[in-house]
Amino acid sequence: MHFFTGTDAVAATTLQDAAATIDEVVADTDTDQPLRKVAAPIPFENFRYPFVDDAENVLFIGNDSYTYGATRGNGIYRSNAADGRLDVLVAEDDAAPDDGKPMGVILGLQTDRRSFVFHRGPDRGKGIYARFGDGPVIAIANTTTSAPGTNANFSWFWYADIWKDLVVFHGTQESAGNPVSGLYLYHNKNLSRLVDSTQPVPAAGYTTLSDLSYQPRIDGSWLVFSANQVANGMTKPGRGILGWPLTDGGDPATMFSLDRLQLLAPFGMMIPETERRPLTSAPNPVVGDGLIAVVGGSDARNPTEEQPDWQAICIRTPDGKWHNPVDTDTLIPRRDDGAVFTGFNKWIAIQNGKVIFRAYGPAGYQAVYLYDPVMNQLFFVADTTWQFENKAIVGFEIGRHPMVGQRLALMIRFADQTSGEYLATLSALPTTPVRSPK
């Protein structure tokens, strides 16, 4: 077992549990940043979003200033499993390819395990940028770019996703004080509009849509997002999930036409296993291996709330059926105090036919689980009862592509504000979700 500090491999301590073993430290807050423009070593302060590829190289954001308040060194980094090297791929001081100014805050990293895309912040961002393969970082769109289908430039951006030569992102333009938000596609240096808040949508009964997902998702099977319907100028409470099926080698202009858009979760559908709770929250559906999953929720008092008072992990299998294996009526496994989950983090992952998610419980409890829809089994990965070198764990993060084989990439934060990016080896110890008696 080892961790990476530049090019040196150093012995470290194993963190383990009956369900998973953290057996590789990719980088932690004792690791020096491999900055290109600074001679003196500077340790990392924090980490975000670990992604792992087939060679067990880990891609991540280091020194996030937006959420965790790092003072310098924000960038996109990648470990090299073959020789222990840690490379900086994009740094905050790099000149942006469009305006030549420092890149600044880097957010919303996504990857298809070969290329990556990110949002240049802070908050309502200046633009969307991508690197295809080993090529240079390019600008996909910025605030001088004309929004397709309109006569105005983009005003700001949410986030993007990437699949091979396709990038999809959420952009907004404001004309005469009226914001128009939409999803847009980049392909072969061209931008096109997928759908925006002005277009009647056949799959939505020819109504327009509002509150489109600020993180659309794409892979080889689907491009998916969620939205609400608009009727008589008012947003209706029921949330829906929509998507386009992808065809290998298909022409994007045909593949993503509005008449091919499908309604995958009806607006306000009854969430499975509940029989009485309509879907009012589903902020960021994710897709992978023919599965679609989202942290769904229901809140009668505030139906547009992104963190409603009741939540579930909702999964659509390739047969088109929705399932709810775990919700906030489910008893927390491995505990004997009768506690139920209090919620789920909205950023979840699908990989290798598995759904990986983070769950919350009382008194700051967090845990990571893996659900196998084929086996209909839940696997415990890690939780905040663990200790690492006598340091208490307070939280985790996972990326969109956190797995390779039996290996899982995790970001772990500790009570002393230190953190690290780790690789864990999973064991096959399933647990059985049990719902609390009514």
Side-chain angles (χ1 to χ4, degrees), residues 214-272:
Y214 51 82
Q215 175 66 83
R217 301 288 197 174
I218 187 171
D219 82 336
S221 56
W222 290 96
L223 190 165
V224 299
F225 65 97
S226 62
N228 288 73
Q229 286 178 296
V230 175
N232 299 319
M234 300 293 291
T235 297
K236 299 176 69 174
R239 193 76 170 166
I241 297 174
L242 303 97
W244 286 273
L246 269 66
T247 303
D248 191 29
D251 175 24
T254 301
M255 193 161 47
F256 298 120
S257 62
L258 273 184
D259 60 0
R260 283 176 53 86
L261 182 62
Q262 298 181 24
L263 185 61
L264 304 175
F267 295 95
M269 75 171 186
M270 291 299 170
I271 297 173

Side-chain angles (χ1 to χ4, degrees), residues 14-23 333-334 365 367-369 379-388 393 396 410 412 424-429:
T14 299
L15 169 67
Q16 62 183 10
D17 184 271
T21 301
I22 308 297
D23 49 17
R334 307 173 74 248
Y365 178 83
V368 180
Y369 290 91
F379 293 82
F380 169 77
V381 176
D383 69 10
T384 48
T385 66
W386 279 4
Q387 293 279 316
F388 175 61
I393 296 175
F396 304 91
L410 287 170
I412 301 178
T425 298
L426 303 173
S427 61
L429 294 178

Side-chain angles (χ1 to χ4, degrees), residues 49-54 56-60 109-116 161-164 217-220 286-289 348-354 356 397-405 407-410 423:
Y49 308 127
F51 304 86
V52 63
D53 65 17
D54 290 340
E56 296 189 9
N57 305 313
V58 179
L59 182 76
F60 60 92
L109 176 65
Q110 296 293 336
T111 179
D112 65 357
R113 309 179 89 190
R114 179 178 179 273
S115 305
F116 63 83
D161 201 5
I162 191 167
W163 176 257
K164 295 185 177 179
R217 301 288 197 174
I218 187 171
D219 82 336
V286 65
V287 62
D289 305 320
I348 59 178
I350 300 175
Q351 198 168 347
N352 301 343
K354 313 295 191 296
I356 305 100
E397 275 191 5
I398 55 173
R400 163 81 180 279
H401 297 287
M403 288 182 63
V404 54
R407 305 276 275 160
L408 177 73
L410 287 170
L423 280 172

Side-chain angles (χ1 to χ4, degrees), residues 237-412:
R239 193 76 170 166
I241 297 174
L242 303 97
W244 286 273
L246 269 66
T247 303
D248 191 29
D251 175 24
T254 301
M255 193 161 47
F256 298 120
S257 62
L258 273 184
D259 60 0
R260 283 176 53 86
L261 182 62
Q262 298 181 24
L263 185 61
L264 304 175
F267 295 95
M269 75 171 186
M270 291 299 170
I271 297 173
E273 313 298 335
T274 69
E275 299 180 356
R276 66 191 186 281
R277 296 185 186 273
L279 185 72
T280 64
S281 174
N284 296 291
V286 65
V287 62
D289 305 320
L291 299 168
I292 297 169
V294 69
V295 176
S298 190
D299 194 328
R301 296 171 299 176
N302 189 358
T304 60
E305 175 59 49
E306 200 173 276
Q307 295 290 329
D309 61 1
W310 187 93
Q311 290 184 310
I313 300 295
C314 298
I315 300 170
R316 184 185 187 269
T317 46
D319 60 6
K321 295 181 180 178
W322 284 92
H323 308 268
N324 162 21
V326 180
D327 58 36
T328 47
D329 290 328
T330 302
L331 296 168
I332 299 175
R334 307 173 74 248
R335 290 177 59 151
D336 56 9
D337 58 359
V340 298
F341 291 118
T342 58
F344 306 95
N345 187 278
K346 63 187 175 184
W347 302 114
I348 59 178
I350 300 175
Q351 198 168 347
N352 301 343
K354 313 295 191 296
V355 178
I356 305 100
F357 62 93
R358 287 178 285 157
Y360 302 136
Y365 178 83
Q366 288 191 36
V368 180
Y369 290 91
L370 182 152
Y371 176 73
D372 187 324
V374 174
M375 300 174 65
N376 190 27
Q377 286 187 322
L378 187 68
F379 293 82
F380 169 77
V381 176
D383 69 10
T384 48
T385 66
W386 279 4
Q387 293 279 316
F388 175 61
E389 293 185 337
N390 297 315
K391 296 196 297 184
I393 296 175
V394 296
F396 304 91
E397 275 191 5
I398 55 173
R400 163 81 180 279
H401 297 287
M403 288 182 63
V404 54
Q406 291 295 112
R407 305 276 275 160
L408 177 73
L410 287 170
M411 189 280 283
I412 301 178

